[in-house]
Amino acid sequence: MKIYKVLHIILLILPLLVVSQEHSIKIKAQLDANKHTLDIKQTIIFYNKTQTTLQDIYLHNWANSFKGNKTPLGKRLIEDYKKDFYFSDESEKGYSKIRSLKSQNVELDAQELRGQDDIIQIQLNSVLKPKDSIEIEAHYTVKIPNAKFTGYGRIENDYHLRFWYLTPAVYDNGWQLMSNLNMDDLFEDVADFIVEISLPKEYYLQSNLYQYQTPKEISNEYYLVGSKRKDIILNISSNPKRFKTFQAKERVIKTDIYNKRMDVNLSNDIINQQISFIENYIGKHPHTEILVDASTVNKNSLRDLYGIPDWLKPYPENFKWETRFFKALSSKYIDDVVLFNKRNDYWLTEGIQTFLMMEYMNKYYPDVTVFGRFSNLWGFKNYNLAKLKQNDKYPFLYQFSARRFFDQSLTTRADSLSNFNRKVVSPYKAGLGMRYLQDFIGDNALSNSFKELYKNHALKITTSDAFKDILTQNTTKNLDWFFNDYIKTNKKIDYKIKKVKFIRKEDSLAVTIKNKRNITAPVSLYTVKDKQIKSKIWITGVDSVKTVKIKANGFDKLALNYEQIYPEYNSLNNFKNINNSIISKPIQFRFLKDIEDPYYNQVFFNPNVKYNLYDGVILGVNFNNRPVIKHNFEFSITPNYAFKSQNLTGSFSFAYDQFLEKTKIYKIRYGIGGSNFHYAPELSYNTFYPFVNIEFKRNSLRDVGTKSILSRIVYVNREIQPTQQAIESDRYSILNFRYIYSKPNVIRRLQYAVNAELGNNFTKLSTDFRYLKFFDQERSFNLRFFGGLFVSNNSDGDYFSFGLNRSSDYLFEQNLFGRSENTGLFSQQFVISDGGFKSFFNQPSFANQLLLSANTSISIWRWIEAYNDVAMLKSKNENPRFFYENGIRLNFVPNILELYFPIYTNEGFEITDQTYPSKIRFVITSNLDRIYNFIRRGLL
């Protein structure tokens, strides 16, 4: 070993040898690459840093969170709609098997917490007084899981390890215990580390500690050391060049996300630039080694949020790498040094990191748009979406969530946040809050507060209250609105310019600002001319309505929050012409969809293509007011021309969403709609339906279930031949109530609907129950039960009856190509309803009194399934009739492209029938929205 290496190690170990109050962790580990296990002998010196006498100690053992499906991690992955862990083999899972836990050679009384297999409680043989310490010796085996579950573990024949060793829990006003929930947020105190690890000869090691390698005949021995460190990450790879080392100022940056096409010197310059930028805002990192690993970065980023692949090269050279690396590096600067419980106080660390990213982009890439060079494409460049700058995405995505009331307060525990809020909305709101503070306070108060927090609380357990105390001392402005309403609630900022009055004597304007929501926060007022800012002032205390005076010269428009400094619920009402004209915003037509434009009232139009046997190809244009972020009031008007019937057809709808924040009801949607198409050759139908739909809140935003009640009256008028006499099925109205419950769990899915219909001559009730159970990644069992009962029925014929294999769809809900066809290809179209049978029968298959049916299917291989159905039909004055069938279902694309091949029914073998091709049923849709949603789920 070279002399400078020896001196370096001595300097690193020296702080570990002197008396201190830091925890100490020594680990001696050996990797068995054949069994994918680590044999670990670990010594923990735990100091009681509290003022409380401790009777027990807790250790986090997150390596054991992979032991089975019932651990908190296993349950969490199911909540996150990931089923690969649930169906994985035991060989892919992991565990941590404790062989002994001793103190002074005496076995300790230790046990896993009930329901939390990754937390160990140690009952001490004697109490641990403040400032005393205890030495714990542990011997255990860690079985390394497959990395595909969380990003950490075994990657083919290599290993990327995080949270792999026993870690003392933090005592801070009680034990801060947390199970692994795949959020990378383990609350750790710093410790002095000495790690010795033995690897097979073909493996190389990288870590975030100082390390030295001693090659031996059949192994590589590594010695790692670090003072006041936490979260020790190990990368064990057979590729010695997987990680690259950059010397940046006084620090060594180890990373495997460098751009191989970039010049090394350029990479080094960019990293130095980023370190200087970060340190200018918050201060210097106390450690010399920083590991920036791809597994952590990829897992906790939404780099593909816009769906533009790298090979299309939409951004400037090296842009994606540089911004990803900056996000990772700034996170390391914060997470390695400021010790927060991120499950409770994530908002501050995420807010600082997001703020730094916005400032970095503003300095080095102010003109780069979200879509990069594609923003200059002909036909797209004039869209507001194309003009969206990188920093504009923060208020945009916040508003996207807030307008649907899906946002959550920044003090909501991280494990209770929806995934979208945890990864996007909450960090964005926190970052925008920092930018809000910076602009409102002014000077360098915010940056100085960051530095003070970083300096005074580095490597110490702390909370966000420390930042609050520092910031309030560095400004004379009242910040109660920020630390109370903005942080602790999901109240939304929404101000509008209500009125502008010209005061001639004073040559000024009296501007009346109205607070439309329930949070009183500072509001910025701008004067604008030709989209250029002329002046800006901050106004406070607008709790309801407030009028301010400004000089009336050099501008033609007033605007609130013109630079989108702070996040708002609705920014469309922020503008006002000083002439108070009634029509302040002209109408603008936009093809397809766009972001809202505050200068125009936008109407979007897009092509509409349909087909049915009687109208032929139907072409039309849909006009609507649905931008990317929806309005509460929506309209959709679709005039069409049918080429076969040579008639104008179409549909329309008007709806308004009322959101209720303090009730169990999520929203009430009021609306009317209608349509006109043909249901038979040269015979059209009209529908008109007012409706009210009540959607209930989920238990939490992590709950994927939905509950709703639909109430509507459907008016139907069917055209008849001139020689025919109108009957009850030609013109009718039906009052419909429907309750729908859905719980789409990734392993077990449950959905049911209860339906009531009151017609002119009948009253009927029905229920549709569906259950789906997965046995593995591809095999599943599907059950549907339908029960229908007429409470009263004085109608003629079977038009309103329950159908075994096809209903008459008298509410005109189904997308049928040949609605009136009884023979031919279009009669074979299948839409599951009523009895849900796929086969045709010679005997009558309608019931005007009672229908009970069960439809089942089970996977055979990939998209091939076997189905079996049974049913009982009962009509008035008739005996019950029983039906059954089985066959093969080719489920290519669910609800979009399916084929049903009947094999056997109670009338015999179907496949021997000469007319068998006419018995095959098919599912195919021309609904572009359904196809688009399927593609989006699969690719974006």
Side-chain angles (χ1 to χ4, degrees):
M1 187 183 298
K2 295 181 180 179
I3 186 66
Y4 76 90
K5 293 286 187 182
V6 176
L7 291 173
H8 196 162
I9 292 175
I10 291 174
L11 290 173
L12 287 168
I13 295 179
L14 192 59
L16 281 59
L17 300 177
V18 300
V19 177
S20 71
Q21 286 289 304
E22 299 297 344
H23 303 320
S24 174
I25 295 178
K26 296 181 181 179
I27 295 175
K28 190 171 184 178
Q30 184 170 358
L31 173 67
D32 186 332
N34 294 320
K35 297 180 180 179
H36 309 299
T37 59
L38 280 172
D39 184 72
I40 299 175
K41 293 180 180 179
Q42 179 175 348
T43 300
I44 302 172
I45 299 178
F46 178 89
Y47 285 90
N48 184 357
K49 300 180 181 182
T50 74
Q51 301 301 314
T52 304
T53 298
L54 302 178
Q55 296 181 338
D56 49 19
I57 290 176
Y58 292 85
L59 301 178
H60 283 116
N61 184 22
W62 278 20
N64 202 41
S65 60
F66 297 88
K67 67 179 290 187
N69 295 333
K70 295 184 178 181
T71 65
L73 175 63
K75 295 176 181 177
R76 180 76 174 195
L77 292 173
I78 293 299
E79 286 182 15
D80 290 341
Y81 240 63
K82 298 175 181 178
K83 57 184 177 181
D84 52 354
F85 181 78
Y86 187 92
F87 291 123
S88 63
D89 295 331
E90 289 301 315
S91 61
E92 293 186 302
K93 289 183 168 69
Y95 57 77
S96 176
K97 185 175 182 180
I98 306 297
R99 303 191 181 278
S100 67
L101 274 173
K102 297 180 180 180
S103 179
Q104 297 179 340
N105 290 322
V106 177
E107 196 73 29
L108 294 167
D109 182 9
Q111 60 184 357
E112 296 173 357
L113 292 188
R114 185 175 182 180
Q116 293 180 285
D117 311 71
D118 50 3
I119 301 176
I120 299 173
Q121 180 185 22
I122 299 176
Q123 301 285 342
L124 298 179
N125 297 328
S126 59
V127 297
L128 187 64
K129 296 180 180 179
K131 298 184 180 181
D132 283 353
S133 64
I134 181 175
E135 181 175 302
I136 300 171
E137 297 174 350
H139 182 202
Y140 55 102
T141 300
V142 171
K143 166 67 166 48
I144 303 171
N146 195 307
K148 67 182 179 180
F149 307 131
T150 65
Y152 310 121
R154 187 175 79 254
I155 307 173
E156 296 180 351
N157 295 321
D158 294 343
Y159 306 90
H160 190 75
L161 306 181
R162 191 178 183 191
F163 313 122
W164 54 279
Y165 55 91
L166 297 176
T167 304
V170 173
Y171 190 97
D172 184 33
N173 294 320
W175 288 105
Q176 304 296 307
L177 305 178
M178 54 181 63
S179 287
N180 183 7
L181 298 179
N182 195 28
M183 295 165 58
D184 296 355
D185 61 349
L186 179 59
F187 189 23
E188 302 176 70
D189 199 352
V190 293
D192 297 330
F193 280 87
I194 296 176
V195 180
E196 297 178 64
I197 184 167
S198 177
L199 305 177
K201 190 69 176 177
E202 65 271 19
Y203 286 104
Y204 301 86
L205 178 72
Q206 286 290 355
S207 73
N208 53 339
L209 296 176
Y210 175 81
Q211 64 188 55
Y212 186 79
Q213 177 187 0
T214 304
K216 293 191 175 180
E217 187 175 344
I218 60 172
S219 65
N220 285 327
E221 306 292 327
Y222 284 88
Y223 188 84
L224 290 69
V225 62
S227 176
K228 295 186 178 181
R229 305 299 295 262
K230 70 181 186 72
D231 192 12
I232 307 306
I233 299 175
L234 303 180
N235 185 273
I236 302 170
S237 175
S238 56
N239 179 9
K241 297 182 179 180
R242 177 175 182 132
F243 274 73
K244 201 170 192 65
T245 300
F246 295 93
Q247 189 68 43
K249 293 192 173 182
E250 304 90 13
R251 263 154 286 286
V252 175
I253 309 296
K254 307 172 187 177
T255 183
D256 60 343
I257 60 170
Y258 58 91
N259 190 333
K260 296 179 181 179
R261 299 188 300 271
M262 277 181 67
D263 178 75
V264 174
N265 292 328
L266 177 59
S267 299
N268 207 78
D269 290 343
I270 291 175
I271 293 173
N272 273 280
Q273 170 185 286
Q274 294 184 351
I275 289 176
S276 296
F277 185 90
I278 295 169
E279 291 183 347
N280 182 57
Y281 272 92
I282 61 177
K284 294 182 179 296
H285 197 290
H287 303 313
T288 54
E289 287 84 18
I290 300 177
L291 183 78
V292 182
D293 60 302
S295 296
T296 301
V297 174
N298 293 343
K299 177 180 176 181
N300 293 292
S301 69
L302 291 176
R303 63 189 188 282
D304 295 324
L305 182 65
Y306 314 111
I308 303 178
D310 286 338
W311 59 268
L312 288 175
K313 298 181 179 180
Y315 303 112
E317 192 69 23
N318 308 319
F319 171 81
K320 268 199 168 184
W321 170 81
E322 184 176 342
T323 52
R324 286 180 63 208
F325 196 89
F326 180 84
K327 182 181 187 301
L329 187 61
S330 57
S331 295
K332 289 290 182 181
Y333 261 76
I334 299 166
D335 295 339
D336 287 354
V337 180
V338 187
L339 309 184
F340 289 114
N341 183 339
K342 290 187 66 176
R343 213 158 272 190
N344 295 325
D345 256 345
Y346 63 89
W347 74 265
L348 181 54
T349 56
E350 296 285 357
I352 296 173
Q353 192 279 318
T354 305
F355 173 79
L356 290 176
M357 175 61 80
M358 287 191 286
E359 292 294 291
Y360 188 83
M361 296 298 294
N362 194 50
K363 181 174 182 179
Y364 294 105
Y365 296 101
D367 297 322
V368 175
T369 63
V370 166
F371 291 94
R373 65 184 180 89
F374 296 115
S375 295
N376 296 320
L377 290 178
W378 180 87
F380 182 53
K381 63 182 179 180
N382 292 325
Y383 278 71
N384 298 313
L385 198 59
K387 300 171 186 176
L388 198 68
K389 299 290 195 296
Q390 288 287 330
N391 275 354
D392 294 334
K393 69 188 178 189
Y394 299 102
F396 172 74
L397 286 172
Y398 164 78
Q399 193 176 95
F400 180 85
S401 180
R403 288 274 283 274
R404 300 287 97 185
F405 290 84
F406 289 147
D407 59 317
Q408 296 168 276
S409 72
L410 293 178
T411 52
T412 303
R413 279 180 56 91
D415 53 349
S416 297
L417 294 172
S418 68
N419 285 338
F420 188 64
N421 281 339
R422 182 172 65 85
K423 292 185 176 183
V424 180
V425 178
S426 291
Y428 285 11
K429 181 184 177 183
L432 288 166
M434 296 299 176
R435 191 170 70 168
Y436 196 176
L437 286 174
Q438 177 181 251
D439 205 81
F440 174 63
I441 296 171
D443 300 324
N444 296 316
L446 184 66
S447 179
N448 290 339
S449 298
F450 289 158
K451 291 176 182 176
E452 194 172 335
L453 174 73
Y454 204 73
K455 178 182 178 181
N456 297 341
H457 296 270
L459 304 177
K460 298 176 184 177
I461 300 296
T462 189
T463 68
S464 59
D465 288 339
F467 174 70
K468 176 182 178 181
D469 294 339
I470 292 170
L471 186 61
T472 51
Q473 290 173 7
N474 288 340
T475 181
T476 58
K477 295 188 176 181
N478 188 336
L479 302 181
D480 289 346
W481 59 272
F482 180 81
F483 289 104
N484 290 323
D485 283 348
Y486 190 90
I487 296 298
K488 295 180 180 179
T489 74
N490 65 342
K491 293 180 179 180
K492 297 157 184 59
I493 299 171
D494 188 14
Y495 292 96
K496 69 171 290 185
I497 299 175
K498 183 180 180 181
K499 184 172 61 174
V500 178
K501 183 179 180 181
F502 183 64
I503 305 175
R504 295 186 180 276
K505 293 182 180 180
E506 302 178 13
D507 192 27
S508 63
L509 294 175
V511 183
T512 302
I513 300 172
K514 181 180 180 180
N515 187 347
K516 297 191 66 179
R517 304 289 302 174
N518 54 356
I519 177 176
T520 303
V523 56
S524 55
L525 174 64
Y526 296 77
T527 60
V528 180
K529 184 175 179 61
D530 298 328
K531 299 186 179 182
Q532 298 296 316
I533 299 172
K534 295 301 179 181
S535 67
K536 170 186 174 182
I537 59 172
W538 280 99
I539 303 167
T540 58
V542 188
D543 56 354
S544 57
V545 175
K546 187 172 184 176
T547 301
V548 296
K549 292 182 180 180
I550 60 173
K551 282 296 180 181
N553 58 349
F555 60 91
D556 55 14
K557 193 177 291 289
L558 294 166
L560 303 177
N561 195 20
Y562 187 77
E563 297 173 283
Q564 293 289 297
I565 297 296
Y566 49 87
E568 276 197 279
Y569 174 76
N570 179 17
S571 55
L572 287 185
N573 55 14
N574 286 358
F575 291 77
K576 193 79 171 179
N577 290 331
I578 62 174
N579 57 11
N580 273 321
S581 60
I582 298 176
I583 303 176
S584 59
K585 296 193 293 185
I587 294 177
Q588 179 190 67
F589 287 90
R590 272 275 193 252
F591 182 61
L592 295 180
K593 199 176 287 286
D594 197 6
I595 293 174
E596 297 168 315
D597 191 326
Y599 290 95
Y600 296 94
N601 289 310
Q602 293 173 305
V603 176
F604 303 100
F605 64 96
N606 52 73
N608 184 266
V609 182
K610 292 181 181 295
Y611 175 82
N612 69 56
L613 180 62
Y614 318 113
D615 288 310
V617 176
I618 305 169
L619 296 181
V621 179
N622 172 251
F623 297 94
N624 64 80
N625 70 329
R626 294 193 292 260
V628 176
I629 300 177
K630 293 182 178 180
H631 297 284
N632 284 15
F633 172 74
E634 296 179 353
F635 69 82
S636 175
I637 301 173
T638 311
N640 297 316
Y641 180 76
F643 284 86
K644 184 176 181 179
S645 63
Q646 297 183 350
N647 282 314
L648 292 175
T649 63
S651 61
F652 74 92
S653 67
F654 296 86
Y656 178 81
D657 289 333
Q658 178 188 3
F659 293 92
L660 291 88
E661 299 179 62
K662 297 181 180 180
T663 70
K664 292 184 178 180
I665 296 175
Y666 166 58
K667 72 174 180 179
I668 303 177
R669 186 174 179 86
Y670 311 89
I672 57 173
S675 63
N676 170 261
F677 294 99
H678 283 74
Y679 72 94
E682 299 182 357
L683 297 177
S684 66
Y685 71 88
N686 296 295
T687 64
F688 177 78
Y689 51 91
F691 66 88
V692 177
N693 188 66
I694 301 173
E695 187 175 337
F696 295 92
K697 289 178 181 175
R698 294 172 279 176
N699 294 329
S700 74
L701 288 181
R702 291 196 56 80
D703 184 356
V704 294
T706 60
K707 292 182 288 186
S708 64
I709 295 177
L710 171 66
S711 303
R712 59 179 175 170
I713 302 178
V714 181
Y715 298 94
V716 178
N717 185 8
R718 298 200 307 165
E719 187 180 10
I720 60 175
Q721 296 286 356
T723 57
Q724 290 182 327
Q725 186 175 354
I727 57 177
E728 64 174 334
S729 60
D730 294 325
R731 180 175 296 180
Y732 53 89
S733 61
I734 294 175
L735 176 61
N736 178 216
F737 299 99
R738 182 175 297 170
Y739 174 79
I740 299 175
Y741 173 90
S742 176
K743 187 74 172 179
N745 183 280
V746 70
I747 304 299
R748 299 175 183 86
R749 302 179 187 176
L750 174 64
Q751 176 182 321
Y752 64 85
V754 179
N755 197 61
E757 295 175 8
L758 286 77
N760 298 332
N761 295 312
F762 69 88
T763 301
K764 64 195 296 190
L765 300 174
S766 64
T767 183
D768 186 317
F769 174 93
R770 305 186 190 195
Y771 176 78
L772 174 64
K773 170 71 166 61
F774 283 93
F775 299 117
D776 56 32
Q777 291 278 36
E778 295 183 348
R779 296 189 308 118
S780 63
F781 169 75
N782 204 326
L783 167 66
R784 175 182 179 267
F785 171 79
F786 178 84
L789 170 69
F790 276 92
V791 178
S792 63
N793 188 5
N794 296 316
S795 62
D796 296 324
D798 286 320
Y799 184 73
F800 299 107
S801 297
F802 296 113
L804 178 66
N805 52 24
R806 188 178 182 181
S807 70
S808 59
D809 186 33
Y810 50 82
L811 293 179
F812 291 88
E813 296 176 301
Q814 300 170 5
N815 184 23
L816 298 173
F817 295 125
R819 184 174 294 277
S820 300
E821 299 304 294
N822 294 316
T823 59
L825 177 64
F826 289 102
S827 69
Q828 296 171 237
Q829 183 184 2
F830 177 73
V831 176
I832 192 163
S833 62
D834 290 3
F837 266 54
K838 295 81 186 174
S839 304
F840 296 106
F841 294 88
N842 293 322
Q843 57 182 302
S845 56
F846 287 93
N848 59 21
Q849 187 173 10
L850 175 68
L851 187 151
L852 299 174
S853 71
N855 314 121
T856 65
S857 66
I858 189 167
S859 301
I860 299 175
W861 179 78
R862 293 191 178 180
W863 32 262
I864 302 177
E865 302 174 9
Y867 68 83
N868 290 274
D869 302 330
V870 294
M872 187 274 284
L873 278 70
K874 173 70 171 68
S875 291
K876 292 184 293 184
N877 303 319
E878 293 183 6
N879 294 324
R881 290 168 288 138
F882 296 90
F883 296 83
Y884 60 86
E885 66 171 353
N886 58 50
I888 298 296
R889 175 191 186 190
L890 302 185
N891 188 11
F892 297 114
V893 185
N895 299 316
I896 294 178
L897 180 59
E898 304 175 21
L899 292 175
Y900 291 89
F901 296 87
I903 295 177
Y904 188 79
T905 71
N906 49 297
E907 293 184 352
F909 278 101
E910 298 289 331
I911 55 177
T912 59
D913 195 311
Q914 292 183 349
T915 61
Y916 184 74
S918 66
K919 298 178 180 292
I920 299 171
R921 304 293 294 275
F922 66 88
V923 173
I924 191 167
T925 184
S926 62
N927 189 316
L928 296 180
D929 287 340
R930 182 179 294 178
I931 297 171
Y932 166 74
N933 288 333
F934 176 82
I935 296 173
R936 182 182 63 180
R937 287 196 303 269
L939 297 180
L940 301 185

